[in-house]
Amino acid sequence: MHTARTLAFASTALALAMLAPMPAQAQATFAHARDAGTLSFGYLPGARPLTWRNDSGAAEGYAISLCRLVAEAVRLQLKQPGLKVEFVPLDEDPAAALAAGRIDMSCTPMQATLTRRASVDFSIPVMPGGTGILVRKNVSPALRNLLEGRKPGAQPIWRGSPQLAALQQRDFAVVPGTASAKLLEARRQEIGVNFKITPVTSMAEGLARVVSGKSDALVSDRNVLMDLARNGQGAGDVMVIDREFDPTSYAFALRRGDEDFRLLVDRVLSRTYRTGKFEQLYATHFGPAGESTRMFFRRLAEPD
């Protein structure tokens, strides 16, 4: 009897919960945009190639292009073709600006950590991430094969493996204090190879060392390296190894609990990923997408 009453109570509570009005925050983005006549998208102006501010002060980047597609979908949803879109440069954590209500969405993608998810929600990923390695195009085949994870024959690479000799006395440049620097040091200790780690103060300095031959490689966020390999000083002489270390993904941060807006964003991204237009957009900022990149986005696209 007690169990029956408990089940009945739970059933009633569930029904009431389903009939209850949605929290005010759930409609916050559409309601704010409709009332203000403006959609506010925050971005970090120094996060090239994802988001940055150009010489005329306008927002640019791969993620900005995706945000413009989201804005167009909001205009259609609200039937407000004249809805303004404001790109707000931020000098603070975008998640904090979003949680405080200063923006409607962060166009600078970020990793959806558990800590951030306590205050904001996230779209489906918009970009793969992780540490990458930039080298000269004339890098030795032995070093390139090793860095790309190509294993001659069926021999696994282990501590003491003969393939690791290609790393001996090599010089790897990295900005200290970054996740890439920590990964590089941990990897050196793990495999027990005596390669050199040279700290650099900037990505430009690291690139210059690789181009001049002072360093064999520059280690950093792979997306940043891909931009350097296309637009940096001496870009024609370098390339990014076709491999990601500690792979992760980045997504747009949205107002927490705003399910209708998140559905719209995910719908826009999913439909975009399935079109040839997306490959053009990606190529504009990163160069032609490889097969692994195309597969990454195909897997992300949700069906209609």
Side-chain angles (χ1 to χ4, degrees):
M1 181 64 74
H2 176 73
T3 301
R5 282 201 302 269
T6 301
L7 291 175
F9 175 79
S11 177
T12 302
L14 177 61
L16 289 174
M18 294 177 67
L19 292 173
M22 298 177 71
Q25 190 182 38
Q27 296 297 330
T29 303
F30 289 142
H32 173 264
R34 185 186 298 111
D35 296 343
T38 301
L39 195 59
S40 297
F41 287 160
Y43 75 103
L44 295 176
R48 189 182 179 120
L50 301 178
T51 62
W52 78 91
R53 185 163 46 188
N54 65 21
D55 293 340
S56 62
E60 279 194 39
Y62 162 80
I64 295 295
S65 298
L66 291 176
C67 280
R68 294 188 192 283
L69 297 178
V70 172
E72 192 56 37
V74 174
R75 290 190 180 104
L76 291 172
Q77 174 86 10
L78 299 181
K79 299 179 180 176
Q80 288 187 293
L83 182 71
K84 296 179 181 177
V85 179
E86 180 184 23
F87 288 96
V88 182
L90 301 172
D91 58 2
E92 60 180 324
D93 182 353
L98 184 61
R102 289 190 283 276
I103 57 174
D104 293 313
M105 184 173 82
S106 170
C107 285
T108 299
M110 59 186 69
Q111 191 174 10
T113 64
L114 294 175
T115 299
R116 285 173 173 152
R117 285 173 55 191
S119 59
V120 298
D121 278 341
F122 287 89
S123 69
I124 62 174
V126 301
M127 192 68 198
T131 297
I133 299 178
L134 178 145
V135 297
R136 288 185 301 280
K137 288 182 176 177
N138 62 355
V139 63
S140 75
L143 180 58
R144 179 174 176 177
N145 287 339
L146 182 65
L147 295 177
E148 291 186 339
R150 298 177 185 175
K151 304 170 186 176
Q155 295 296 322
I157 295 177
W158 44 278
R159 187 183 180 94
S161 173
Q163 297 99 306
L164 293 179
L167 289 177
Q168 291 285 357
Q169 306 304 319
R170 297 290 185 178
D171 185 293
F172 289 76
V174 67
V175 176
T178 61
S180 299
K182 296 175 183 175
L183 177 70
L184 186 61
E185 179 60 39
R187 186 60 176 152
R188 181 169 65 173
Q189 294 182 16
E190 178 185 350
I191 61 178
V193 173
N194 186 29
F195 60 80
K196 183 180 180 183
I197 298 177
T198 298
V200 292
T201 59
S202 67
M203 299 300 294
E205 180 187 351
L207 175 62
R209 285 188 62 87
V210 174
V211 171
S212 67
K214 294 179 179 177
S215 290
D216 295 288
L218 172 63
V219 182
S220 185
D221 181 278
R222 191 166 187 272
N223 295 323
V224 175
L225 293 179
M226 290 172 67
D227 182 60
L228 272 183
R230 284 171 55 84
N231 302 300
Q233 192 76 28
D237 298 328
V238 297
M239 57 175 284
V240 179
I241 290 294
D242 188 19
R243 183 182 181 186
E244 286 179 350
F245 301 83
D246 68 331
T248 184
S249 61
Y250 302 117
F252 290 143
L254 317 168
R255 190 174 281 112
R256 197 162 192 260
D258 197 342
E259 293 299 328
D260 287 348
F261 182 60
R262 186 166 70 164
L263 176 62
L264 177 140
V265 174
D266 288 349
R267 181 179 291 126
V268 169
L269 295 174
S270 294
R271 291 178 177 176
T272 302
Y273 295 163
R274 289 195 293 266
T275 67
K277 181 180 178 181
F278 175 73
E279 290 205 20
Q280 294 176 10
L281 186 154
Y282 184 93
T284 298
H285 298 281
F286 300 103
E291 183 56 28
S292 62
T293 300
R294 285 195 291 270
M295 284 299 298
F296 173 84
F297 287 104
R298 284 191 204 120
R299 284 196 294 265
L300 290 177
E302 300 283 355
D304 282 324

